[in-house]
Amino acid sequence: MNNKIKQTNHTPLQRVDIDTVTVDIIENALKNAREEMDTVLFRTAMSPGIREQGDCFPMIANKDGKMVVGQFGSFIHGFMQAFKGELEEGDVILTNDPYMTNAAVSHLPDWIVLVPIFKDGRHIAWSAMFGHMSDNGGMVPGSIPIKAHSIFQEGIRIPPTKLYKKGELQKDVLELILHNVRTPQWNRFDLNALVAACNTAARRCKDIAERFGDDVFYSTMEIMLERNHIAMQAIINMIVPEEPRVFEDYLCDDGVGMGPYKIRCKMWRENGRAFFDFTGTDPQAASSINFYLNEDMFKMFFGSFTINLVDPQILFNDGFYDLVDVFIPQGSLLKPNFPAALSGRTHALGRIFDVMGGLLGQSAPDAMNAAGFSDSPHLFYSGYDDKGEWFQLFQIGFGGIPGRPVGDGPDGHSLWPGFTNVPNEFIEAYFPLRVERYETIADSGGAGMHRGGNGLSVAYRFLCDGTIAIHDDRWLTYPWGVSGGEPGQRSTKRLVRADGTETYLPAKCDDIEVKKGDLLYFDTWGGGGWGDPFKRDPALVLQDVHCGLVTAEGARRYGVVIVDDAVDQAATTALRQTLSTARGKPELFNFGGTIEEIKARCEAETHLPAPVTPKFRTASS
């Protein structure tokens, strides 16, 4: 990698011995610098998606591009493989093109800023951050067109480009990029904020190296990576079995009438290494639901998932990547061929976490989560307000988190823990709409000894004519329950026109015209339940009823009878015995039926026709 880094000081950094106190001080300083990156970004960005919602991912990496602290894993290796030319002090790189960076980023709205960090003429580290821009040009406002069949329809493609050369902004390059988006002011401020965040991390890294010495700074980063390697080696040996395990899950549809699409993965351990093979995953889709999954990104998903499962106190970084092998077939839904559309990749991205949960849990059911990392729902609303000014809303919705061995799943929470809700007051102040409902959907979480989190019902009243687009999943398949737990409720989107007529909208649609006074009910999925619901403490069920999370009728799914706002103990014992006998032995996974059964009853249950089986292109077609 360093052959592309132009240094004036070629003295190599040396590995030195460091006491543990110094390591801990530097580690925490780096963690603080990573948090400061977020703080700088949130205080200087303009778009609500970044400033209010936190759709961004910071990182500080060592000089070899391995993430030492951060949130999303390193993409620098893939970027440097694709980058042509030299990097020197003061350079700032901007890119958003998945195909030109080996999937360092997975769709065009995510703009990456990378800064090589130099001290005294020597390259010592990297800082990087990417943020989801409100618009990237292309076919539709928000730049995630459902019906796109080529990445060229999804907006401007930015190859790895020097936004700054030796500290000087390339204004003509920036203006050319901003000329191609619908929200140039937001993008300009958000991009400046990304650069400021990366430069802040660069200053902190140089401060640490100045205080402790360059070699100590370098060696501490190596120790932090090694600590993670040791921890992940133990985790892999503990939770990844030698005997292969296979799991399959599905994306409900592609937004153009076909589905579901299968994601299949086989996992096993061999000589202390974890292997993941996605052979059997469906071929790429004709629409934009493809997810170009970089192998290192999947390693990051695996590490983040398992560390949070086993011990969240372990510092997550890239130190373990050599312990994991990943194979993803070329031309599949997870590694499509250029120029396949990629903008709607959020659905498959979320499903990867459910697949990992299903794989890892087969060997340790008591430690397995149910399904619920099911998607990251998007709503877009755009048009001209009463003053004739353009408005454009991009908002991420939240669903139910799955039931877990340690307790119930949170209600209405984000797929990514760092994401936060945009306050309704903010939305109403800046966009021509009113939020008339924001509440959890009682009984939408799957019943279980630990219930799945409830989904959210948000009602948006549109105050101006405009256009909306919706991106969601789990409207056909269910967030599955485990070890006797029941599936969570599916998502629905219902548009009530100002004249009273109602229409159920597909989970993936764009270019839907709305009029002033129309009301959209945006209901998300619930998380699957964990464990036998007939073993849940009836007092907890009654508490859920009091809190409005479960209805009195829904309490019967737990075998609990509520009479006069209290548990009828005798009736509960009898009902549980009856229901338990009728059910028989609990299943490890409860998918809510086979795909064929689910499709057969689809229209009656969802008010939408079942998608047709996908037709894939072959070499001869």
Side-chain angles (χ1 to χ4, degrees), residues 435-462:
V435 179
E436 298 192 351
R437 173 194 291 177
Y438 194 99
E439 60 189 29
T440 61
I441 306 170
D443 298 331
S444 59
M449 180 178 175
H450 298 153
R451 70 172 176 83
N454 284 332
L456 284 179
S457 180
V458 185
Y460 298 95
R461 178 77 68 180
F462 303 114

PDB file of all heavy atoms in Angstrom, residues 435-462:
ATOM      1  N   VAL A 435     -46.876  14.938  11.620  1.00  0.00           N
ATOM      2  CA  VAL A 435     -46.840  13.574  12.137  1.00  0.00           C
ATOM      3  C   VAL A 435     -48.006  13.415  13.101  1.00  0.00           C
ATOM      4  O   VAL A 435     -48.001  13.978  14.198  1.00  0.00           O
ATOM      5  CB  VAL A 435     -45.496  13.277  12.835  1.00  0.00           C
ATOM      6  CG1 VAL A 435     -45.486  11.853  13.384  1.00  0.00           C
ATOM      7  CG2 VAL A 435     -44.331  13.478  11.878  1.00  0.00           C
ATOM      8  N   GLU A 436     -49.010  12.655  12.701  1.00  0.00           N
ATOM      9  CA  GLU A 436     -50.225  12.537  13.503  1.00  0.00           C
ATOM     10  C   GLU A 436     -50.218  11.295  14.397  1.00  0.00           C
ATOM     11  O   GLU A 436     -51.069  11.182  15.283  1.00  0.00           O
ATOM     12  CB  GLU A 436     -51.452  12.519  12.588  1.00  0.00           C
ATOM     13  CG  GLU A 436     -51.598  13.802  11.783  1.00  0.00           C
ATOM     14  CD  GLU A 436     -52.943  13.934  11.099  1.00  0.00           C
ATOM     15  OE1 GLU A 436     -53.719  12.951  11.106  1.00  0.00           O
ATOM     16  OE2 GLU A 436     -53.210  15.021  10.547  1.00  0.00           O
ATOM     17  N   ARG A 437     -49.295  10.403  14.160  1.00  0.00           N
ATOM     18  CA  ARG A 437     -49.174   9.232  15.026  1.00  0.00           C
ATOM     19  C   ARG A 437     -47.714   8.794  15.037  1.00  0.00           C
ATOM     20  O   ARG A 437     -47.066   8.760  13.993  1.00  0.00           O
ATOM     21  CB  ARG A 437     -50.045   8.075  14.528  1.00  0.00           C
ATOM     22  CG  ARG A 437     -49.828   6.776  15.314  1.00  0.00           C
ATOM     23  CD  ARG A 437     -50.443   5.566  14.602  1.00  0.00           C
ATOM     24  NE  ARG A 437     -51.891   5.609  14.597  1.00  0.00           N
ATOM     25  CZ  ARG A 437     -52.646   4.703  13.987  1.00  0.00           C
ATOM     26  NH1 ARG A 437     -52.072   3.704  13.329  1.00  0.00           N
ATOM     27  NH2 ARG A 437     -53.962   4.795  14.024  1.00  0.00           N
ATOM     28  N   TYR A 438     -47.218   8.475  16.210  1.00  0.00           N
ATOM     29  CA  TYR A 438     -45.881   7.890  16.346  1.00  0.00           C
ATOM     30  C   TYR A 438     -45.937   6.982  17.566  1.00  0.00           C
ATOM     31  O   TYR A 438     -45.795   7.446  18.704  1.00  0.00           O
ATOM     32  CB  TYR A 438     -44.805   8.968  16.511  1.00  0.00           C
ATOM     33  CG  TYR A 438     -43.393   8.443  16.328  1.00  0.00           C
ATOM     34  CD1 TYR A 438     -42.728   8.598  15.115  1.00  0.00           C
ATOM     35  CD2 TYR A 438     -42.741   7.770  17.357  1.00  0.00           C
ATOM     36  CE1 TYR A 438     -41.443   8.103  14.937  1.00  0.00           C
ATOM     37  CE2 TYR A 438     -41.468   7.279  17.191  1.00  0.00           C
ATOM     38  CZ  TYR A 438     -40.816   7.447  15.978  1.00  0.00           C
ATOM     39  OH  TYR A 438     -39.549   6.951  15.809  1.00  0.00           O
ATOM     40  N   GLU A 439     -46.177   5.699  17.325  1.00  0.00           N
ATOM     41  CA  GLU A 439     -46.393   4.792  18.440  1.00  0.00           C
ATOM     42  C   GLU A 439     -46.017   3.371  18.052  1.00  0.00           C
ATOM     43  O   GLU A 439     -45.976   3.030  16.867  1.00  0.00           O
ATOM     44  CB  GLU A 439     -47.853   4.830  18.886  1.00  0.00           C
ATOM     45  CG  GLU A 439     -48.832   4.418  17.788  1.00  0.00           C
ATOM     46  CD  GLU A 439     -50.283   4.666  18.170  1.00  0.00           C
ATOM     47  OE1 GLU A 439     -50.526   5.596  18.962  1.00  0.00           O
ATOM     48  OE2 GLU A 439     -51.166   3.946  17.674  1.00  0.00           O
ATOM     49  N   THR A 440     -45.738   2.578  19.064  1.00  0.00           N
ATOM     50  CA  THR A 440     -45.467   1.175  18.793  1.00  0.00           C
ATOM     51  C   THR A 440     -46.768   0.454  18.468  1.00  0.00           C
ATOM     52  O   THR A 440     -47.855   0.864  18.905  1.00  0.00           O
ATOM     53  CB  THR A 440     -44.791   0.492  19.990  1.00  0.00           C
ATOM     54  OG1 THR A 440     -45.656   0.566  21.123  1.00  0.00           O
ATOM     55  CG2 THR A 440     -43.457   1.151  20.311  1.00  0.00           C
ATOM     56  N   ILE A 441     -46.659  -0.623  17.705  1.00  0.00           N
ATOM     57  CA  ILE A 441     -47.815  -1.412  17.284  1.00  0.00           C
ATOM     58  C   ILE A 441     -47.974  -2.580  18.246  1.00  0.00           C
ATOM     59  O   ILE A 441     -47.158  -3.514  18.256  1.00  0.00           O
ATOM     60  CB  ILE A 441     -47.643  -1.929  15.849  1.00  0.00           C
ATOM     61  CG1 ILE A 441     -47.335  -0.771  14.896  1.00  0.00           C
ATOM     62  CG2 ILE A 441     -48.887  -2.685  15.396  1.00  0.00           C
ATOM     63  CD1 ILE A 441     -46.913  -1.212  13.506  1.00  0.00           C
ATOM     64  N   ALA A 442     -48.980  -2.517  19.082  1.00  0.00           N
ATOM     65  CA  ALA A 442     -49.196  -3.576  20.073  1.00  0.00           C
ATOM     66  C   ALA A 442     -49.313  -4.929  19.380  1.00  0.00           C
ATOM     67  O   ALA A 442     -49.919  -5.050  18.305  1.00  0.00           O
ATOM     68  CB  ALA A 442     -50.460  -3.285  20.876  1.00  0.00           C
ATOM     69  N   ASP A 443     -48.685  -5.939  19.969  1.00  0.00           N
ATOM     70  CA  ASP A 443     -48.728  -7.336  19.506  1.00  0.00           C
ATOM     71  C   ASP A 443     -47.909  -7.585  18.252  1.00  0.00           C
ATOM     72  O   ASP A 443     -47.929  -8.707  17.724  1.00  0.00           O
ATOM     73  CB  ASP A 443     -50.171  -7.804  19.243  1.00  0.00           C
ATOM     74  CG  ASP A 443     -51.041  -7.793  20.483  1.00  0.00           C
ATOM     75  OD1 ASP A 443     -50.499  -7.971  21.584  1.00  0.00           O
ATOM     76  OD2 ASP A 443     -52.269  -7.617  20.337  1.00  0.00           O
ATOM     77  N   SER A 444     -47.197  -6.569  17.733  1.00  0.00           N
ATOM     78  CA  SER A 444     -46.431  -6.805  16.493  1.00  0.00           C
ATOM     79  C   SER A 444     -45.143  -7.567  16.746  1.00  0.00           C
ATOM     80  O   SER A 444     -44.602  -8.209  15.841  1.00  0.00           O
ATOM     81  CB  SER A 444     -46.128  -5.478  15.788  1.00  0.00           C
ATOM     82  OG  SER A 444     -45.396  -4.607  16.628  1.00  0.00           O
ATOM     83  N   GLY A 445     -44.629  -7.535  17.965  1.00  0.00           N
ATOM     84  CA  GLY A 445     -43.477  -8.353  18.302  1.00  0.00           C
ATOM     85  C   GLY A 445     -43.888  -9.798  18.477  1.00  0.00           C
ATOM     86  O   GLY A 445     -44.963 -10.104  19.008  1.00  0.00           O
ATOM     87  N   GLY A 446     -43.042 -10.722  18.022  1.00  0.00           N
ATOM     88  CA  GLY A 446     -43.357 -12.134  18.150  1.00  0.00           C
ATOM     89  C   GLY A 446     -43.433 -12.560  19.609  1.00  0.00           C
ATOM     90  O   GLY A 446     -42.606 -12.168  20.430  1.00  0.00           O
ATOM     91  N   ALA A 447     -44.450 -13.369  19.923  1.00  0.00           N
ATOM     92  CA  ALA A 447     -44.581 -13.866  21.292  1.00  0.00           C
ATOM     93  C   ALA A 447     -43.438 -14.818  21.609  1.00  0.00           C
ATOM     94  O   ALA A 447     -42.989 -15.581  20.763  1.00  0.00           O
ATOM     95  CB  ALA A 447     -45.923 -14.575  21.467  1.00  0.00           C
ATOM     96  N   GLY A 448     -42.984 -14.775  22.851  1.00  0.00           N
ATOM     97  CA  GLY A 448     -41.912 -15.657  23.285  1.00  0.00           C
ATOM     98  C   GLY A 448     -41.686 -15.507  24.770  1.00  0.00           C
ATOM     99  O   GLY A 448     -42.237 -14.601  25.414  1.00  0.00           O
ATOM    100  N   MET A 449     -40.852 -16.391  25.318  1.00  0.00           N
ATOM    101  CA  MET A 449     -40.439 -16.197  26.707  1.00  0.00           C
ATOM    102  C   MET A 449     -39.839 -14.799  26.852  1.00  0.00           C
ATOM    103  O   MET A 449     -40.043 -14.120  27.863  1.00  0.00           O
ATOM    104  CB  MET A 449     -39.431 -17.268  27.095  1.00  0.00           C
ATOM    105  CG  MET A 449     -38.937 -17.167  28.515  1.00  0.00           C
ATOM    106  SD  MET A 449     -37.803 -18.512  28.911  1.00  0.00           S
ATOM    107  CE  MET A 449     -37.298 -18.040  30.561  1.00  0.00           C
ATOM    108  N   HIS A 450     -39.076 -14.381  25.813  1.00  0.00           N
ATOM    109  CA  HIS A 450     -38.660 -12.996  25.647  1.00  0.00           C
ATOM    110  C   HIS A 450     -39.285 -12.516  24.338  1.00  0.00           C
ATOM    111  O   HIS A 450     -38.954 -13.038  23.269  1.00  0.00           O
ATOM    112  CB  HIS A 450     -37.140 -12.873  25.603  1.00  0.00           C
ATOM    113  CG  HIS A 450     -36.469 -13.334  26.867  1.00  0.00           C
ATOM    114  ND1 HIS A 450     -35.183 -13.823  26.891  1.00  0.00           N
ATOM    115  CD2 HIS A 450     -36.901 -13.383  28.148  1.00  0.00           C
ATOM    116  CE1 HIS A 450     -34.854 -14.164  28.124  1.00  0.00           C
ATOM    117  NE2 HIS A 450     -35.885 -13.898  28.907  1.00  0.00           N
ATOM    118  N   ARG A 451     -40.179 -11.566  24.415  1.00  0.00           N
ATOM    119  CA  ARG A 451     -40.917 -11.175  23.215  1.00  0.00           C
ATOM    120  C   ARG A 451     -40.052 -10.336  22.281  1.00  0.00           C
ATOM    121  O   ARG A 451     -39.113  -9.645  22.705  1.00  0.00           O
ATOM    122  CB  ARG A 451     -42.190 -10.413  23.577  1.00  0.00           C
ATOM    123  CG  ARG A 451     -41.966  -9.046  24.140  1.00  0.00           C
ATOM    124  CD  ARG A 451     -43.259  -8.252  24.301  1.00  0.00           C
ATOM    125  NE  ARG A 451     -42.955  -6.987  24.939  1.00  0.00           N
ATOM    126  CZ  ARG A 451     -42.504  -5.921  24.278  1.00  0.00           C
ATOM    127  NH1 ARG A 451     -42.327  -5.980  22.968  1.00  0.00           N
ATOM    128  NH2 ARG A 451     -42.218  -4.811  24.919  1.00  0.00           N
ATOM    129  N   GLY A 452     -40.403 -10.392  21.012  1.00  0.00           N
ATOM    130  CA  GLY A 452     -39.755  -9.518  20.047  1.00  0.00           C
ATOM    131  C   GLY A 452     -40.226  -8.090  20.222  1.00  0.00           C
ATOM    132  O   GLY A 452     -41.337  -7.825  20.689  1.00  0.00           O
ATOM    133  N   GLY A 453     -39.349  -7.126  19.853  1.00  0.00           N
ATOM    134  CA  GLY A 453     -39.733  -5.727  19.935  1.00  0.00           C
ATOM    135  C   GLY A 453     -40.853  -5.404  18.965  1.00  0.00           C
ATOM    136  O   GLY A 453     -40.947  -5.984  17.878  1.00  0.00           O
ATOM    137  N   ASN A 454     -41.713  -4.480  19.350  1.00  0.00           N
ATOM    138  CA  ASN A 454     -42.804  -4.055  18.474  1.00  0.00           C
ATOM    139  C   ASN A 454     -42.290  -3.130  17.375  1.00  0.00           C
ATOM    140  O   ASN A 454     -41.333  -2.378  17.571  1.00  0.00           O
ATOM    141  CB  ASN A 454     -43.878  -3.324  19.268  1.00  0.00           C
ATOM    142  CG  ASN A 454     -44.744  -4.270  20.079  1.00  0.00           C
ATOM    143  OD1 ASN A 454     -44.915  -5.429  19.710  1.00  0.00           O
ATOM    144  ND2 ASN A 454     -45.299  -3.779  21.180  1.00  0.00           N
ATOM    145  N   GLY A 455     -42.956  -3.200  16.240  1.00  0.00           N
ATOM    146  CA  GLY A 455     -42.706  -2.243  15.179  1.00  0.00           C
ATOM    147  C   GLY A 455     -43.346  -0.905  15.498  1.00  0.00           C
ATOM    148  O   GLY A 455     -44.003  -0.719  16.532  1.00  0.00           O
ATOM    149  N   LEU A 456     -43.136   0.055  14.594  1.00  0.00           N
ATOM    150  CA  LEU A 456     -43.673   1.404  14.764  1.00  0.00           C
ATOM    151  C   LEU A 456     -44.761   1.695  13.738  1.00  0.00           C
ATOM    152  O   LEU A 456     -44.673   1.264  12.580  1.00  0.00           O
ATOM    153  CB  LEU A 456     -42.571   2.448  14.600  1.00  0.00           C
ATOM    154  CG  LEU A 456     -41.575   2.645  15.743  1.00  0.00           C
ATOM    155  CD1 LEU A 456     -40.557   3.697  15.358  1.00  0.00           C
ATOM    156  CD2 LEU A 456     -42.283   3.042  17.034  1.00  0.00           C
ATOM    157  N   SER A 457     -45.757   2.435  14.159  1.00  0.00           N
ATOM    158  CA  SER A 457     -46.752   2.995  13.254  1.00  0.00           C
ATOM    159  C   SER A 457     -46.598   4.508  13.271  1.00  0.00           C
ATOM    160  O   SER A 457     -46.777   5.147  14.314  1.00  0.00           O
ATOM    161  CB  SER A 457     -48.171   2.613  13.679  1.00  0.00           C
ATOM    162  OG  SER A 457     -49.119   3.169  12.784  1.00  0.00           O
ATOM    163  N   VAL A 458     -46.226   5.064  12.132  1.00  0.00           N
ATOM    164  CA  VAL A 458     -46.064   6.509  11.991  1.00  0.00           C
ATOM    165  C   VAL A 458     -47.040   6.982  10.918  1.00  0.00           C
ATOM    166  O   VAL A 458     -47.064   6.427   9.811  1.00  0.00           O
ATOM    167  CB  VAL A 458     -44.621   6.891  11.608  1.00  0.00           C
ATOM    168  CG1 VAL A 458     -44.471   8.412  11.589  1.00  0.00           C
ATOM    169  CG2 VAL A 458     -43.626   6.268  12.567  1.00  0.00           C
ATOM    170  N   ALA A 459     -47.849   7.969  11.248  1.00  0.00           N
ATOM    171  CA  ALA A 459     -48.823   8.515  10.303  1.00  0.00           C
ATOM    172  C   ALA A 459     -48.373   9.899   9.859  1.00  0.00           C
ATOM    173  O   ALA A 459     -48.244  10.811  10.683  1.00  0.00           O
ATOM    174  CB  ALA A 459     -50.204   8.578  10.935  1.00  0.00           C
ATOM    175  N   TYR A 460     -48.122  10.036   8.566  1.00  0.00           N
ATOM    176  CA  TYR A 460     -47.668  11.298   7.990  1.00  0.00           C
ATOM    177  C   TYR A 460     -48.819  11.948   7.221  1.00  0.00           C
ATOM    178  O   TYR A 460     -49.354  11.377   6.262  1.00  0.00           O
ATOM    179  CB  TYR A 460     -46.512  11.066   7.020  1.00  0.00           C
ATOM    180  CG  TYR A 460     -45.258  10.472   7.629  1.00  0.00           C
ATOM    181  CD1 TYR A 460     -45.035   9.094   7.597  1.00  0.00           C
ATOM    182  CD2 TYR A 460     -44.286  11.280   8.205  1.00  0.00           C
ATOM    183  CE1 TYR A 460     -43.878   8.541   8.126  1.00  0.00           C
ATOM    184  CE2 TYR A 460     -43.131  10.739   8.743  1.00  0.00           C
ATOM    185  CZ  TYR A 460     -42.931   9.369   8.701  1.00  0.00           C
ATOM    186  OH  TYR A 460     -41.793   8.821   9.230  1.00  0.00           O
ATOM    187  N   ARG A 461     -49.191  13.150   7.617  1.00  0.00           N
ATOM    188  CA  ARG A 461     -50.180  13.937   6.884  1.00  0.00           C
ATOM    189  C   ARG A 461     -49.431  14.907   5.972  1.00  0.00           C
ATOM    190  O   ARG A 461     -48.679  15.767   6.440  1.00  0.00           O
ATOM    191  CB  ARG A 461     -51.060  14.732   7.842  1.00  0.00           C
ATOM    192  CG  ARG A 461     -52.091  15.622   7.157  1.00  0.00           C
ATOM    193  CD  ARG A 461     -53.289  14.859   6.644  1.00  0.00           C
ATOM    194  NE  ARG A 461     -54.087  14.334   7.749  1.00  0.00           N
ATOM    195  CZ  ARG A 461     -55.190  13.623   7.599  1.00  0.00           C
ATOM    196  NH1 ARG A 461     -55.632  13.331   6.378  1.00  0.00           N
ATOM    197  NH2 ARG A 461     -55.853  13.168   8.663  1.00  0.00           N
ATOM    198  N   PHE A 462     -49.621  14.759   4.670  1.00  0.00           N
ATOM    199  CA  PHE A 462     -48.917  15.602   3.712  1.00  0.00           C
ATOM    200  C   PHE A 462     -49.663  16.929   3.551  1.00  0.00           C
ATOM    201  O   PHE A 462     -50.866  16.951   3.311  1.00  0.00           O
ATOM    202  CB  PHE A 462     -48.786  14.886   2.368  1.00  0.00           C
ATOM    203  CG  PHE A 462     -48.078  13.557   2.482  1.00  0.00           C
ATOM    204  CD1 PHE A 462     -48.749  12.368   2.230  1.00  0.00           C
ATOM    205  CD2 PHE A 462     -46.753  13.494   2.871  1.00  0.00           C
ATOM    206  CE1 PHE A 462     -48.115  11.150   2.346  1.00  0.00           C
ATOM    207  CE2 PHE A 462     -46.093  12.283   2.997  1.00  0.00           C
ATOM    208  CZ  PHE A 462     -46.778  11.096   2.737  1.00  0.00           C
TER     209      PHE A 462
END
